[in-house]
């Protein structure tokens, strides 16, 4: 996707091989140059055009004039004492900040990337939305979170979750462009089977995403089993209610055949009773799905709380009712890297 910076230079990391080729041929260069450049960017991952040593100095200078090559700066790196979670605070080229987390599972390292600077969605329990929304990330800025994390940590990333700061479906075009570059066989070549996209329920975009048949896992942040309880904690529910959301999910499954994952942040006294479980089972009965229970993580501005014991109790309720449910492992809680704890603020 062609995106320009303030100086009108094209963001080179956001181009597919064919788009890059078109640009390079327009400069009067041979097609194979585009392949070399794509490889420098996405396989060797250089930070400057001058490192592209198999290109002439003249071409490198031309590239500098026409394109920008972004990078992220690691402002802070926090490593968990309890597991191998690492959280990065990155500075973007325009001075804004975002956070990214690497998590270690038995099957490899998964990275949780941000898709926006801040968030507009206003979920009551989530830290990412508290300081409001600043801007969307470009596809290159989403991609660079992975490239920089791999470089800095020396760890190989084998899975990606779009569950950091921001609402991916509120930044649709950049997110889709990112997914296409991520899975491009000439670049990182990641199978989209290893990628999960999470949404609070921006319904029209779920239909659009279904049509693209990308093979990703769709996670729905449901968090409640009726509209009253959901609207109290998630303002998006006033716009697209549970019925509309589940209708979109049914469509998504019909078109893609992919099982949907429903996230359920358990909050003491709000959505944690046997009655809530019954209502949830009724709602999701007949769905090919999985429920992921997350004991709500603490954020300093709110009093919401829960614990693993309640989460396991709720899981038992759901299983008795025939639902497939797990309790999500809490990783990186000691460095505020768990679900809903990421922020765009730069706090020293
Ligand atoms: N905006 C997207 C992506 C964020 S993903 C979405 O809403 O799905 C982050 C996940 O963590 C979402 O399921 C979100 O609802 C959940 N979450 C947010 N704050 C949380 C908290 N304090 N405790 C547990 N989960 C939380």
């Amino acid at each position: 996707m062609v995106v320009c910076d303030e100086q009108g230079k094209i963001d080179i990391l956001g181009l597919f091989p064919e788009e890059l080729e078109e640009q390079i041929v327009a400069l009067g260069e041979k097609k194979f140059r585009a392949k070399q450049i794509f490889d420098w960017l996405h396989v060797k991952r250089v930070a400057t055009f001058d490192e592209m040593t198999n290109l002439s100095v003249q071409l490198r200078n031309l590239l500098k004039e026409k394109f920008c090559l972004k990078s992220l700066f690691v402002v802070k790196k926090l490593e968990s004492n309890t597991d191998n979670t690492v959280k990065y605070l990155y500075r973007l080229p325009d001075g804004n900040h975002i956070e990214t987390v690497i998590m270690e599972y038995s099957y490899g390292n998964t990275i949780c990337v941000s898709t926006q600077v801040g968030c507009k969605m206003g979920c009551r329990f989530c830290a990412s939305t508290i300081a409001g929304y600043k801007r969307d990330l470009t596809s290159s800025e989403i991609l660079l979170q992975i490239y920089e994390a791999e470089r800095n940590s020396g760890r190989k990333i084998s899975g990606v979750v779009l569950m950091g700061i921001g609402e991916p479906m509120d930044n649709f075009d950049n997110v889709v462009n990112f997914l296409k570059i991520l899975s491009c066989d000439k670049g990182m070549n990641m199978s989209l089977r290893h990628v999960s996209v999470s949404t609070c329920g921006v319904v029209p975009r779920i239909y659009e995403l279904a049509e693209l048949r990308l093979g990703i896992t769709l996670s729905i942040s449901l968090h409640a089993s009726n509209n009253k309880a959901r609207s109290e904690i998630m303002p998006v529910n006033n716009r697209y209610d549970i019925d509309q959301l589940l209708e979109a999910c049914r469509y998504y499954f019909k078109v893609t055949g992919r099982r949907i994952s429903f996230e359920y942040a358990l909050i003491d006294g709000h959505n944690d009773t046997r009655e809530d479980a019954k209502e949830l089972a009724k709602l999701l009965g007949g769905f090919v799905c999985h429920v992921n229970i997350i004991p709500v993580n603490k954020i300093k501005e709110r009093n919401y709380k829960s614990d693993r014991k309640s989460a396991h109790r709720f899981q038992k309720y759901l299983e008795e009712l025939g639902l497939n449910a797990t309790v999500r492992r809490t990783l990186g809680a000691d460095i505020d890297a768990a679900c809903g704890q990421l922020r765009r603020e730069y706090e020293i």
Side-chain angles (χ1 to χ4, degrees):
M1 194 160 88
V2 177
V3 177
C4 295
D5 69 1
E6 316 76 53
Q7 290 151 22
K9 294 188 182 185
I10 298 173
D11 182 358
I12 197 165
L13 276 167
L15 300 175
F16 295 136
E18 308 81 59
E19 291 169 330
L20 184 61
E21 189 178 284
E22 209 175 290
Q23 296 289 337
I24 298 301
V25 170
L27 293 176
E29 292 288 335
K30 294 254 163 35
K31 281 184 181 175
F32 80 95
R33 291 288 176 208
K35 287 202 181 69
Q36 291 178 320
I37 297 169
F38 196 86
D39 193 70
W40 281 115
L41 294 171
H42 298 279
V43 179
K44 300 197 188 79
R45 301 186 187 166
V46 294
T48 62
F49 291 112
D50 284 328
E51 290 163 73
M52 301 182 175
T53 47
N54 58 1
L55 308 182
S56 68
V57 174
Q58 198 191 359
L59 177 55
R60 284 185 239 158
N61 287 337
L62 206 57
L63 295 179
K64 283 183 225 168
E65 270 171 43
K66 178 117 199 211
F67 301 100
C68 65
L69 176 48
K70 293 191 185 192
S71 54
L72 300 184
F73 179 73
V74 178
V75 178
K76 207 155 62 172
K77 176 183 183 182
L78 293 175
E79 291 171 90
S80 168
N81 287 322
T82 50
D83 46 62
N84 275 326
T85 304
V86 177
K87 179 169 85 164
Y88 290 105
L89 176 74
Y90 287 129
R91 184 161 59 239
L92 299 163
D94 69 349
N96 278 305
H97 294 90
I98 50 164
E99 293 188 312
T100 302
V101 180
I102 306 180
M103 299 160 294
E104 188 179 70
Y105 293 98
S106 54
Y107 46 82
N109 294 305
T110 292
I111 194 163
C112 175
V113 295
S114 295
T115 53
Q116 294 179 315
V117 181
C119 185
K120 298 175 197 159
M121 297 298 142
C123 298
R124 293 285 301 160
F125 44 81
C126 181
S128 299
T129 199
I130 285 179
Y133 162 87
K134 276 290 262 291
R135 69 169 177 88
D136 290 341
L137 295 183
T138 61
S139 45
S140 62
E141 288 166 337
I142 307 175
L143 200 62
L144 279 168
Q145 294 172 55
I146 306 175
Y147 291 0
E148 182 54 36
E150 279 199 337
R151 197 195 60 76
N152 183 289
S153 68
R155 284 156 74 172
K156 171 105 193 78
I157 304 291
S158 54
V160 180
V161 295
L162 281 74
M163 298 190 181
I165 301 167
E167 168 50 49
M169 294 296 97
D170 188 39
N171 184 15
F172 193 82
D173 293 345
N174 284 311
V175 162
V176 169
N177 198 57
F178 155 74
L179 293 173
K180 289 185 177 166
I181 298 178
L182 179 74
S183 55
C184 170
D185 60 355
K186 297 181 184 69
M188 192 159 176
N189 196 17
M190 180 169 293
S191 160
L192 293 181
R193 303 250 152 201
H194 300 149
V195 177
S196 294
V197 175
S198 184
T199 177
C200 64
V202 184
V203 164
R205 298 287 168 268
I206 296 175
Y207 286 99
E208 267 186 71
L209 192 66
E211 299 303 341
L212 297 176
R213 295 173 172 81
L214 292 175
I216 51 150
T217 299
L218 182 63
S219 284
I220 302 288
S221 299
L222 188 60
H223 305 329
S225 54
N226 63 67
N227 283 318
K228 184 173 173 293
R230 191 164 193 266
S231 293
E232 271 171 28
I233 52 172
M234 300 181 72
V236 68
N237 198 66
N238 294 313
R239 186 108 183 263
Y240 308 110
D241 67 15
I242 293 183
D243 281 351
Q244 291 169 292
L245 178 57
L246 294 186
E247 194 54 43
C249 291
R250 267 181 219 105
Y251 182 81
Y252 188 89
F253 179 70
K254 195 173 102 195
V255 171
T256 65
R258 303 278 297 159
R259 182 177 83 155
I260 291 184
S261 172
F262 288 98
E263 311 296 308
Y264 195 92
L266 201 70
I267 303 173
D268 279 4
H270 186 74
N271 59 6
D272 62 337
T273 63
R274 193 186 280 276
E275 282 313 303
D276 293 313
K278 276 190 191 153
E279 205 172 31
L280 189 62
K282 210 163 143 206
L283 213 53
L284 300 182
F287 248 103
V288 181
C289 69
H290 171 256
V291 180
N292 209 348
I293 305 163
I294 319 164
V296 75
N297 291 308
K298 270 217 153 49
I299 59 166
K300 62 177 190 278
E301 293 84 356
R302 308 273 186 256
N303 279 327
Y304 296 128
K305 55 180 192 315
S306 183
D307 55 38
R308 300 198 69 77
K309 216 171 122 203
S310 319
H312 284 291
R313 188 178 58 224
F314 198 75
Q315 178 194 23
K316 213 166 133 257
Y317 294 159
L318 291 182
E319 280 175 349
E320 283 165 9
L321 294 157
L323 277 188
N324 183 348
T326 47
V327 176
R328 181 181 284 175
R329 263 173 78 202
T330 302
L331 293 173
D334 60 329
I335 52 170
D336 273 2
C339 298
Q341 294 186 314
L342 304 186
R343 297 168 188 266
R344 70 171 176 82
E345 299 153 6
Y346 177 22
E347 291 169 353
I348 307 178

